Amino acid sequence: GKTLRLVLGDQLSRDLASLRDADKHHDIILLAEVREEATYVQHHKQKIVLLFSAMRHFANALRDEGFTVIYRHYDDADNQGSLFGEVQRVCEQHPVDAVALTHPGEYRLLQAMQTWQSNLDIPVTIREDDRFLCPLSDFAAWARDRKQLRMEFFYREMRKRWNILMDQQQPVGGKWNYDSANRNPLPENVSVPSPTQFATDDITRDVMALVENHFSDHFGRLDGFHYAVTRAQALTVLDEFIRQRLVHFGDYQDAMATDQPWLFHAHISFYLNCGLLLPKEVIAQVESVYRQGQVPLNAAEGFIRQVLGWREYVRGLYWLKMPDYKQQNYLHAKRALPSFFWDADTDMACLSQCIGQTRDTAYAHHIQRLMVIGNFSLLAGLSPDAVNDWYLRVYADAYEWVELPNVTGMILFADGGVLASKPYAASGAYIHRMSDYCQHCHYNVKQKNGPQACPFNYLYWHFLMRNQHQLSNNPRLGMPYRTLANMDDDKVRHINEDAELFLSRLDQGERV
Ligand code: FAD
Ligand code: DLZ
Ligand code: SF4
């Protein structure tokens, strides 16, 4: 009989669990562009172009190999609008006697898929997504006996389990973590390599027209789209990163600079997350250039920690904690998103830069997401639902399994400390140290109070005061809470006045 094998837009790997045993003579492979997936949040235009173009290229490659592929275009007249609808249609039109799926990246879709078997009345199997290095059952076992689920300890287990950067039983170089070498701002004279860019081909041009047509109201600019849409192109991005930028990845991992979106980052999250690159091959290549002496250990270890550590850890946490994780709001934050999240129209230069780059590229690097946009969202008390919705929309690498723990856990502390041991709250001094944004800002980062003062400065203290009940017992916040306790009354009053004025202006939609 025939097996129907569905491949989702973020499962574009030839070695996918549900494709591995596919039979060219009998089976049918289905890829479908559908309204439900394209609109459950209003994805950035470039995210839709990337996925639809990559899906179309992937389908062509499977056909070239000799497979029977059914590809459903978004504007096909009889498009069913949902993945289930498309699967059902194929089952009605062809003698299909089983459906093979690979575990999806989002809880809502897994829940839906679990109803397909009874709705279709044929066997539907959901296979483990073994592109990831940590099976979900392993993560659950690791988590079971622990009070705290710290990434660092998970990461060490993964290093040992996969024998990555190990010399026998010991970490290469004697330490697990070289982060302390990774906190430099960008020096004036360093020249930043330009990112790998691809010209748009016919398939991408068709998809761009489709997106302008059907998704014109979605966030983001489309011109300037230059991302890889095939595996070969994604491998080129990886190769250029390893040859040109990895050497400085560690040094400038936390640096930010005006009009420099790309810096020494890899720009591969899009491809790892949609299947064009596999984490195992990325990690292996980086370890190999380190072993050949081409890059320093702080670069290789720092990078591998992101992919083998953080990426696997947030996925494990997501599936361990869903569906409750999505409801978390430990700090009872409820403010609506300010309008500058959509138009970058703010006098705060750091936010205007990071949000403007997000609009133009569907990308921002980690510290921009964490310490500028994320820090602001935390200090201003923005609602977790609104912030999650924003991050899931605007980045071309965003799927809930990776977006939600980073937002709810890492930036908002809305999970009360499951992921992070303390909130990543910081005043303007941090942004000033790691970037040149403050040099071009209407506000003054050195001023603590008054109309010219950097809003991060008073919002930081206001955040700590406001959330004293939830946070003051945190041992890692002992220092700032002691400082606060010793602050004179006048200073406290100024902070409250400035912060309350700023927040009320936000609430009234005034420009800040
Ligand atoms: P590099 O800096 O070169 O890092 C290499 C790789 O490590 C990345 O490609 C990514 O796969 C992995 N990685 C690094 N940090 C993390 C992390 N915290 N969690 C998971 N993987 C990580 N990453 C996403 O892929 N999708 C998201 O939706 C996403 N949302 C985020 C939201 C917030 C608030 C924050 C703080 C971080 C988020 N990240 C997300 C993590 C990180 O910012 C991006 O993976 C990274 O910026 C992608 O760019 P890059 O490939 O150049 O990464
Ligand atoms: C993100 C996305 C978009 C925009 N469109 C589609 C689509 O039309 N068809 C599809 O199969 N997948 C799409 N995706 C990716 C899915 O949303 C993703 O597979 C789930 O969110 C699970 O991670
Ligand atoms: Fe951002 Fe404050 Fe610096 Fe302006 S002064 S760029 S608001 S940190």
Tab-separated table of all heavy atoms in Angstrom, residues 7-10 32-34 37-38 40 43 47-48 51-52 55 83 104-106 108-109 399, ligand 2:
chain	number	residue	atom	x	y	z
A	7	VAL	N	5.475	16.513	5.018
A	7	VAL	CA	6.662	17.266	5.430
A	7	VAL	C	6.230	18.700	5.699
A	7	VAL	O	5.712	19.384	4.809
A	7	VAL	CB	7.747	17.226	4.334
A	7	VAL	CG1	8.949	18.073	4.739
A	7	VAL	CG2	8.173	15.781	4.051
A	8	LEU	N	6.452	19.166	6.927
A	8	LEU	CA	6.066	20.531	7.297
A	8	LEU	C	7.107	21.535	6.810
A	8	LEU	O	8.243	21.170	6.485
A	8	LEU	CB	5.932	20.649	8.820
A	8	LEU	CG	4.933	19.701	9.478
A	8	LEU	CD1	5.026	19.817	10.999
A	8	LEU	CD2	3.522	19.997	8.992
A	9	GLY	N	6.710	22.793	6.819
A	9	GLY	CA	7.590	23.859	6.347
A	9	GLY	C	8.895	23.986	7.124
A	9	GLY	O	9.878	24.519	6.606
A	10	ASP	N	8.927	23.482	8.345
A	10	ASP	CA	10.186	23.531	9.110
A	10	ASP	C	10.792	22.131	9.256
A	10	ASP	O	11.520	21.862	10.196
A	10	ASP	CB	9.967	24.188	10.483
A	10	ASP	CG	8.898	23.492	11.311
A	10	ASP	OD1	8.227	22.587	10.778
A	10	ASP	OD2	8.733	23.851	12.484
A	32	ALA	N	2.457	21.337	1.867
A	32	ALA	CA	1.291	22.182	1.619
A	32	ALA	C	1.470	23.567	2.234
A	32	ALA	O	1.744	23.699	3.420
A	32	ALA	CB	0.035	21.517	2.181
A	33	GLU	N	1.286	24.561	1.382
A	33	GLU	CA	1.210	25.948	1.868
A	33	GLU	C	-0.240	26.185	2.245
A	33	GLU	O	-1.108	26.089	1.377
A	33	GLU	CB	1.617	26.909	0.749
A	33	GLU	CG	3.040	26.708	0.231
A	33	GLU	CD	3.325	27.494	-1.058
A	33	GLU	OE1	2.433	28.251	-1.514
A	33	GLU	OE2	4.422	27.345	-1.600
A	34	VAL	N	-0.482	26.463	3.518
A	34	VAL	CA	-1.886	26.585	3.951
A	34	VAL	C	-2.114	27.825	4.811
A	34	VAL	O	-1.228	28.266	5.548
A	34	VAL	CB	-2.347	25.339	4.750
A	34	VAL	CG1	-2.389	24.113	3.843
A	34	VAL	CG2	-1.460	25.095	5.957
A	37	GLU	N	-1.394	27.677	8.791
A	37	GLU	CA	-0.008	27.823	9.263
A	37	GLU	C	0.540	29.211	8.968
A	37	GLU	O	1.389	29.720	9.696
A	37	GLU	CB	0.886	26.754	8.632
A	37	GLU	CG	0.572	25.353	9.106
A	37	GLU	CD	0.559	25.232	10.620
A	37	GLU	OE1	1.527	25.669	11.267
A	37	GLU	OE2	-0.431	24.707	11.165
A	38	ALA	N	0.091	29.807	7.895
A	38	ALA	CA	0.642	31.112	7.511
A	38	ALA	C	0.045	32.258	8.306
A	38	ALA	O	0.557	33.377	8.257
A	38	ALA	CB	0.435	31.347	6.016
A	40	TYR	N	-1.567	31.744	11.810
A	40	TYR	CA	-1.867	31.571	13.243
A	40	TYR	C	-1.179	32.640	14.069
A	40	TYR	O	-1.626	32.980	15.158
A	40	TYR	CB	-1.534	30.155	13.739
A	40	TYR	CG	-0.068	29.826	13.816
A	40	TYR	CD1	0.653	30.049	14.976
A	40	TYR	CD2	0.596	29.310	12.709
A	40	TYR	CE1	2.004	29.768	15.037
A	40	TYR	CE2	1.942	29.025	12.761
A	40	TYR	CZ	2.639	29.250	13.935
A	40	TYR	OH	3.982	28.988	13.973
A	43	HIS	N	3.040	36.232	10.638
A	43	HIS	CA	4.487	36.139	10.438
A	43	HIS	C	5.032	37.296	9.591
A	43	HIS	O	4.380	37.750	8.641
A	43	HIS	CB	4.853	34.858	9.677
A	43	HIS	CG	4.270	33.600	10.233
A	43	HIS	ND1	4.817	32.926	11.298
A	43	HIS	CD2	3.195	32.865	9.849
A	43	HIS	CE1	4.106	31.836	11.544
A	43	HIS	NE2	3.117	31.774	10.679
A	47	LYS	N	9.739	35.831	6.589
A	47	LYS	CA	9.642	34.472	7.131
A	47	LYS	C	8.791	33.605	6.195
A	47	LYS	O	9.129	32.446	5.917
A	47	LYS	CB	9.026	34.532	8.533
A	47	LYS	CG	8.860	33.181	9.225
A	47	LYS	CD	8.284	33.419	10.634
A	47	LYS	CE	7.995	32.150	11.389
A	47	LYS	NZ	7.305	32.464	12.686
A	48	ILE	N	7.699	34.163	5.697
A	48	ILE	CA	6.838	33.391	4.784
A	48	ILE	C	7.560	33.146	3.460
A	48	ILE	O	7.523	32.034	2.918
A	48	ILE	CB	5.493	34.115	4.566
A	48	ILE	CG1	4.803	34.370	5.917
A	48	ILE	CG2	4.585	33.277	3.664
A	48	ILE	CD1	3.452	35.073	5.799
A	51	LEU	N	10.154	30.369	3.945
A	51	LEU	CA	9.610	29.010	4.076
A	51	LEU	C	8.956	28.520	2.796
A	51	LEU	O	9.192	27.387	2.372
A	51	LEU	CB	8.614	28.949	5.232
A	51	LEU	CG	9.248	28.858	6.607
A	51	LEU	CD1	8.210	28.515	7.648
A	51	LEU	CD2	10.362	27.826	6.641
A	52	PHE	N	8.140	29.350	2.174
A	52	PHE	CA	7.463	28.888	0.945
A	52	PHE	C	8.498	28.617	-0.152
A	52	PHE	O	8.409	27.616	-0.870
A	52	PHE	CB	6.429	29.913	0.473
A	52	PHE	CG	5.144	29.927	1.264
A	52	PHE	CD1	5.020	29.235	2.463
A	52	PHE	CD2	4.028	30.636	0.808
A	52	PHE	CE1	3.833	29.246	3.190
A	52	PHE	CE2	2.836	30.652	1.516
A	52	PHE	CZ	2.740	29.963	2.709
A	55	MET	N	10.351	25.456	0.761
A	55	MET	CA	9.467	24.299	0.576
A	55	MET	C	9.385	23.919	-0.905
A	55	MET	O	9.454	22.740	-1.275
A	55	MET	CB	8.046	24.611	1.092
A	55	MET	CG	7.905	24.623	2.615
A	55	MET	SD	6.301	25.312	3.165
A	55	MET	CE	5.175	23.984	2.696
A	83	LEU	N	-3.551	21.927	7.239
A	83	LEU	CA	-2.764	20.722	6.988
A	83	LEU	C	-3.662	19.494	7.025
A	83	LEU	O	-3.579	18.614	6.162
A	83	LEU	CB	-1.624	20.616	8.011
A	83	LEU	CG	-0.545	21.696	7.846
A	83	LEU	CD1	0.407	21.714	9.046
A	83	LEU	CD2	0.256	21.493	6.555
A	104	PRO	N	5.947	17.598	15.315
A	104	PRO	CA	6.033	19.014	14.928
A	104	PRO	C	6.711	19.847	16.005
A	104	PRO	O	6.926	19.371	17.121
A	104	PRO	CB	4.564	19.410	14.781
A	104	PRO	CG	3.865	18.572	15.796
A	104	PRO	CD	4.609	17.252	15.841
A	105	GLY	N	6.998	21.091	15.672
A	105	GLY	CA	7.713	21.971	16.594
A	105	GLY	C	6.810	22.726	17.556
A	105	GLY	O	7.302	23.433	18.426
A	106	GLU	N	5.506	22.613	17.378
A	106	GLU	CA	4.607	23.394	18.228
A	106	GLU	C	3.516	22.517	18.822
A	106	GLU	O	2.971	21.631	18.161
A	106	GLU	CB	4.004	24.571	17.440
A	106	GLU	CG	5.116	25.475	16.897
A	106	GLU	CD	4.643	26.822	16.367
A	106	GLU	OE1	3.442	26.995	16.131
A	106	GLU	OE2	5.522	27.705	16.208
A	108	ARG	N	0.416	23.223	19.697
A	108	ARG	CA	-0.930	23.301	19.094
A	108	ARG	C	-1.054	22.317	17.939
A	108	ARG	O	-2.079	21.678	17.749
A	108	ARG	CB	-1.251	24.727	18.607
A	108	ARG	CG	-0.325	25.185	17.541
A	108	ARG	CD	-0.577	26.485	16.817
A	108	ARG	NE	0.519	26.615	15.862
A	108	ARG	CZ	0.494	26.152	14.620
A	108	ARG	NH1	-0.593	25.600	14.131
A	108	ARG	NH2	1.554	26.254	13.854
A	109	LEU	N	0.018	22.158	17.169
A	109	LEU	CA	-0.039	21.274	16.005
A	109	LEU	C	0.050	19.805	16.432
A	109	LEU	O	-0.615	18.951	15.855
A	109	LEU	CB	1.090	21.645	15.039
A	109	LEU	CG	0.984	21.115	13.612
A	109	LEU	CD1	-0.367	21.437	12.985
A	109	LEU	CD2	2.112	21.706	12.753
A	399	TYR	N	9.767	29.732	15.951
A	399	TYR	CA	8.737	28.696	16.142
A	399	TYR	C	8.540	28.632	17.639
A	399	TYR	O	9.481	28.889	18.407
A	399	TYR	CB	9.195	27.340	15.578
A	399	TYR	CG	9.562	27.458	14.120
A	399	TYR	CD1	10.858	27.799	13.752
A	399	TYR	CD2	8.593	27.313	13.134
A	399	TYR	CE1	11.189	27.980	12.418
A	399	TYR	CE2	8.915	27.493	11.795
A	399	TYR	CZ	10.212	27.818	11.441
A	399	TYR	OH	10.531	28.014	10.127
B	2	DLZ	C1	5.677	28.965	9.634
B	2	DLZ	C2	4.980	28.235	8.530
B	2	DLZ	C3	4.294	28.955	7.552
B	2	DLZ	C4	4.330	30.443	7.491
B	2	DLZ	N1	3.590	28.332	6.594
B	2	DLZ	C5	3.572	26.972	6.557
B	2	DLZ	C6	2.810	26.269	5.574
B	2	DLZ	O1	2.106	26.863	4.769
B	2	DLZ	N2	2.877	24.933	5.567
B	2	DLZ	C7	3.596	24.232	6.458
B	2	DLZ	O2	3.645	23.010	6.384
B	2	DLZ	N3	4.295	24.873	7.423
B	2	DLZ	C8	4.301	26.202	7.485
B	2	DLZ	N4	4.981	26.855	8.476
B	2	DLZ	C9	5.698	26.058	9.488
B	2	DLZ	C10	4.718	25.477	10.519
B	2	DLZ	O3	4.006	26.533	11.116
B	2	DLZ	C11	5.496	24.658	11.551
B	2	DLZ	O4	5.734	23.402	10.987
B	2	DLZ	C12	4.739	24.461	12.834
B	2	DLZ	O5	4.587	25.692	13.472
B	2	DLZ	C13	5.462	23.499	13.780
B	2	DLZ	O6	6.730	23.958	14.117
